[in-house]
Amino acid sequence: MCGIVGYVGRNSDGTAQAVIMEGLARLEYRGYDSAGVALVSGEHVEIRKKSGKLSNLRSEIESDPLPPSTAGIGHTRWATHGGPTDANAHPHRGGADGKLALIHNGIIENFHALRTELGAGGVTFTSETDTEVAAHLLAAAYEDHGDLTEAMRAVVVRLEGAYTLLAIHADHPDVVVGARRNSPLVVGLGEEANYLGSDVAAFIGYTRQALELAQDQIVTITAEGVTVINVDGSPAQGRAYEVTWDAAAAEKGGYQTFMEKEINDQPHAVRDTLLGRTDADGRLVLDELRISEASFTGIDRITIVACGTAAYAGMVAKYAIEHWTRIPVEVALAHEFRYCDPIVNERTLVLSISQSGETMDTLMAVKHARDLGALTISVCNTHGSTIPRESDAVLYTHAGPEIAVASTKAFVAQITACYILGLYLAQLRGGSFADDAQSVMKDLGEVPAKIETLLGRMDRVKEIAGFMADTRAVLFLGRHVGYPIALEGALKLKELAYIHAEGFAAGELKHGPIALIEPGQPVFVIVPSPTSEHGLHGKVVSNIQEIRARGARTLVIAEEGDEAVAPFADEVIEVPATAPLLAPLLTVVPLQVFALWLSTAKGLDVDQPRNLAKSVTVE
Ligand code: F6R
């Protein structure tokens, strides 16, 4: 939420502006309520900012060009304090002389008290933001210290809440100072230039060498170097790493939208997540976790914490992990977890799932779990992000950068990673499923090719979506692992096409929701494989008949060759056969494709749906 870029280079030319604008374009998925840039130029700091998407800022700069510069900062906003107006857009100036500019991601919780204090001291505010408070505090601290880094240190100890702050000052055309607490900030290491960004996408066009910062650190970049200190002033060092993907991975690669590209990336996302996690005999090897086998064998309960799509991945994983390990698994929405007095102790594994690794709700749940003594493992897609840092161990998904706001490839990668972990636990614990782990891994290995086959058959789904632009509501039904997929299908449609959509456990229908069925009501039904246990397939086929009898238009996702569904389906969308527990990796695909093309048919912005932002870094 909110994208942040900082740059310092040696030459005073148009590079600073170009780097910052490119960084903002790559970070726009983090928020698109407004955008702004500030550059140091001569005795001044020049600011351009505009509400709305980045294109508005581009037009503004075209009509009122920025001067050449060596250093600057840029921001793309998801509004919290104050509406998405020009005045509330970042950067904000601080001090009576306006020589300082600051940008911010997060929420300063004690801003009201600080604003009152500053107001009493004669400061007048030009925006409703909490950010402007930090800008004025920093300007005042700079007056006292004459040094931007020291001023930042003095200010951050006064702030409560979560923040990343970046600041420039007209007196220092060769410096950008940043600080972070519970909010993302990474450093890009260039040649004769250095960078700051909310994530590496900000500078991936220039360098793949990055530096991860810890909590409560302050970083000062110049063209020549990077200095990191702790808030108490003691020297610190970031952790250097190389970004494993390049700028092309963060581009659309010939597709119309990032979402379309990312849906099509899914075979790679699953394949790459499986890579390197088994030995020559097919046994799972997770040395990367650096957790002793003994710590795992003591686990008697697993709690998965996550939000949104990641939580649905957790719900899918619950069925599989319980089945393979016989350890009870609970899935908690991360933002509820802390407040429900969770039963968590040293024998609990708290598994967080997060694409961004920055979701504040999930981060806070992880911290709470650690305080309670749990073993914490994070399934995460983003190197250098906060949640893995705050966890005992991390199992990375290798989905590559996910830019579209709606999560797709991260979802299948998350399920894959959770399955790897579940099978690893089964292997460690022994018992009947330990022997099965290798054969499940073999089945998982075949999934990428099956997703590819499925993606090649999506024309009819696209066509159906195209006809349904006027649809007012869509229902989704599933059972067992199909239930979270129904929830995910509904979420995709809500967020992308702004259509009322609900997912239900199919068995729940007769307990109330069936009253929603009226003639013509579209209902997607995710049908389990005919090979599923406990006669599940037959039960879902009966559910289809029940809604069809009441006039529903049934859009049925079923395993290829499943002839039982055809008589009751208005449309059958066939997915390749796989083991029942692996089916979610396939059945979700038509639902993603449907949401993508329905949103497109309605003329909406697929990659940047209204009111949303990727990476929700506020609670
Ligand atoms: C929906 C979506 C969100 C995220 C959720 C968690 O398409 O993208 O529901 O899944 O905000 O985000 P991460 O995985 O970054 O923690």
Side-chain angles (χ1 to χ4, degrees):
M1 231 156 228
C2 297
I4 277 186
V5 194
Y7 168 83
V8 187
R10 207 184 280 284
N11 300 322
S12 178
D13 55 15
T15 311
Q17 179 184 327
V19 170
I20 290 166
M21 292 304 286
E22 186 180 327
L24 290 182
R26 291 194 197 278
L27 295 183
E28 199 180 11
Y29 69 96
R30 299 180 74 95
Y32 29 87
D33 287 333
S34 65
V37 54
L39 297 177
V40 183
S41 169
E43 304 279 289
H44 309 281
V45 165
E46 289 274 344
I47 296 181
R48 303 286 180 276
K49 53 185 186 172
K50 209 69 201 147
S51 61
K53 295 210 167 166
L54 190 59
S55 50
N56 295 358
L57 176 64
R58 281 202 194 97
S59 312
E60 176 76 4
I61 294 174
E62 250 169 53
S63 58
D64 186 7
L66 280 159
S69 171
T70 43
I73 52 180
H75 188 267
T76 173
R77 179 172 188 242
W78 186 84
T80 56
H81 289 68
T85 61
D86 289 355
N88 289 332
H90 302 208
H92 289 281
R93 285 188 196 275
D97 59 9
K99 286 170 88 176
L100 178 142
L102 177 137
I103 54 178
H104 165 222
N105 174 24
I107 290 182
I108 297 167
E109 285 167 3
N110 58 336
F111 102 102
H112 191 70
L114 294 171
R115 190 174 166 115
T116 309
E117 176 193 313
L118 285 164
V123 173
T124 45
F125 291 90
T126 57
S127 79
E128 303 152 284
T129 61
D130 49 347
T131 308
E132 199 183 354
V133 166
H136 285 296
L137 282 176
L138 190 63
Y142 178 78
E143 289 297 308
D144 295 342
H145 295 272
D147 177 277
L148 205 50
T149 308
E150 278 305 298
M152 185 66 92
R153 204 160 76 77
V155 167
V156 291
V157 292
R158 301 207 55 202
L159 306 180
E160 290 166 17
Y163 51 77
T164 301
L165 302 171
L166 295 193
I168 51 173
H169 197 287
D171 292 351
H172 303 282
D174 51 354
V175 170
V176 178
V177 174
R180 72 167 290 234
R181 173 187 291 167
N182 286 335
S183 187
L185 181 62
V186 281
V187 185
L189 305 170
E191 277 180 24
E192 302 198 338
N194 285 302
Y195 310 79
L196 293 167
S198 301
D199 62 53
V200 294
F203 46 75
I204 194 70
Y206 300 91
T207 179
R208 286 165 66 179
Q209 304 306 317
L211 203 62
E212 183 183 317
L213 299 173
Q215 283 304 10
D216 294 311
Q217 289 189 329
I218 294 167
V219 58
T220 305
I221 63 165
T222 64
E224 287 76 31
V226 174
T227 315
V228 184
I229 57 169
N230 296 309
V231 170
D232 63 8
S234 58
Q237 271 186 336
R239 192 184 67 83
Y241 66 102
E242 186 172 342
V243 183
T244 51
W245 47 272
D246 59 15
E251 274 151 24
K252 289 184 191 154
Y255 290 97
Q256 283 172 33
T257 59
F258 279 110
M259 187 185 177
E260 188 185 1
K261 175 191 177 230
E262 287 160 11
I263 288 173
N264 283 282
D265 274 350
Q266 292 184 110
H268 293 286
V270 174
R271 198 174 282 129
D272 292 352
T273 300
L274 289 170
L275 218 62
R277 274 151 177 173
T278 42
D279 65 15
D281 301 327
R283 281 180 63 78
L284 281 145
V285 184
L286 295 186
D287 293 347
E288 62 197 282
L289 292 177
R290 295 194 199 92
I291 290 183
S292 72
E293 295 191 359
S295 311
F296 276 122
T297 40
I299 296 298
D300 64 7
R301 169 196 284 266
I302 298 174
T303 301
I304 296 178
V305 290
C307 301
T309 290
Y312 297 148
M315 283 175 71
V316 171
K318 170 188 159 75
Y319 290 92
I321 298 176
E322 284 187 338
H323 181 69
W324 293 326
T325 65
R326 310 313 297 151
I327 302 173
V329 180
E330 179 200 4
V331 184
L333 290 172
H335 37 87
E336 288 293 314
F337 175 74
R338 270 196 295 168
Y339 308 105
C340 65
D341 198 5
I343 302 168
V344 166
N345 57 36
E346 304 73 38
R347 295 174 72 83
T348 313
L349 165 61
V350 171
L351 179 63
S352 64
I353 307 177
S354 176
Q355 187 285 129
S356 60
E358 298 294 349
T359 299
M360 183 59 77
D361 292 319
T362 309
L363 173 62
M364 290 303 160
V366 170
K367 287 187 168 186
H368 189 58
R370 278 192 86 169
D371 290 346
L372 295 173
L375 174 67
T376 54
I377 298 185
S378 117
V379 164
C380 184
N381 197 42
T382 311
H383 284 256
S385 59
T386 309
I387 293 172
R389 247 200 121 88
E390 296 291 323
S391 305
D392 295 309
V394 53
L395 192 64
Y396 281 110
T397 50
H398 297 299
E402 192 178 64
I403 310 280
V405 164
S407 187
T408 54
K409 63 176 177 174
F411 179 69
V412 291
Q414 285 161 350
I415 294 174
T416 306
C418 289
Y419 279 18
I420 290 170
L421 190 65
L423 291 167
Y424 180 67
L425 287 176
Q427 187 178 284
L428 288 182
R429 291 166 76 86
S432 61
F433 292 108
D435 302 332
D436 289 349
Q438 277 153 280
S439 72
V440 180
M441 283 303 287
K442 187 171 162 294
D443 290 345
L444 265 172
E446 289 166 9
V447 166
K450 291 180 182 178
I451 301 178
E452 250 153 44
T453 306
L454 183 58
L455 286 166
R457 291 182 192 159
M458 286 294 99
D459 287 354
R460 180 61 188 153
V461 175
K462 180 175 175 181
E463 214 168 65
I464 298 168
F467 298 144
M468 286 177 63
D470 296 329
T471 303
R472 294 174 51 129
V474 181
L475 304 181
F476 295 78
L477 302 180
R479 281 181 105 120
H480 189 243
V481 286
Y483 169 42
I485 297 303
L487 297 174
E488 172 63 2
L491 176 59
K492 290 283 96 87
L493 206 55
K494 283 178 224 182
E495 67 180 325
L496 291 171
Y498 318 152
I499 287 178
H500 185 77
E502 286 294 326
F504 297 105
E508 189 66 8
L509 209 61
K510 55 191 175 298
H511 300 287
I514 199 163
L516 290 169
I517 305 293
E518 54 186 16
Q521 170 63 54
V523 185
F524 274 93
V525 188
I526 298 124
V527 181
S529 163
T531 63
S532 298
E533 290 176 353
H534 312 303
L536 206 59
H537 174 264
K539 293 200 175 83
V540 176
V541 174
S542 301
N543 295 142
I544 304 175
Q545 292 177 60
E546 288 154 16
I547 54 169
R548 192 94 182 308
R550 289 161 177 83
R553 180 159 173 252
T554 54
L555 307 151
V556 175
I557 300 176
E559 190 173 291
E560 58 197 3
D562 180 353
E563 287 176 5
V565 296
F568 318 109
D570 291 294
E571 296 283 347
V572 180
I573 301 153
E574 290 197 327
V575 298
T578 187
L581 282 171
L582 308 191
L585 296 167
L586 298 167
T587 51
V588 73
V589 174
L591 301 180
Q592 298 166 338
V593 171
F594 177 71
L596 160 69
W597 292 111
L598 187 46
S599 169
T600 308
K602 291 183 76 171
L604 300 173
D605 188 334
V606 170
D607 286 335
Q608 296 178 347
R610 72 182 175 204
N611 304 336
L612 290 169
K614 193 108 183 139
S615 191
V616 185
T617 53
V618 294
E619 276 186 274

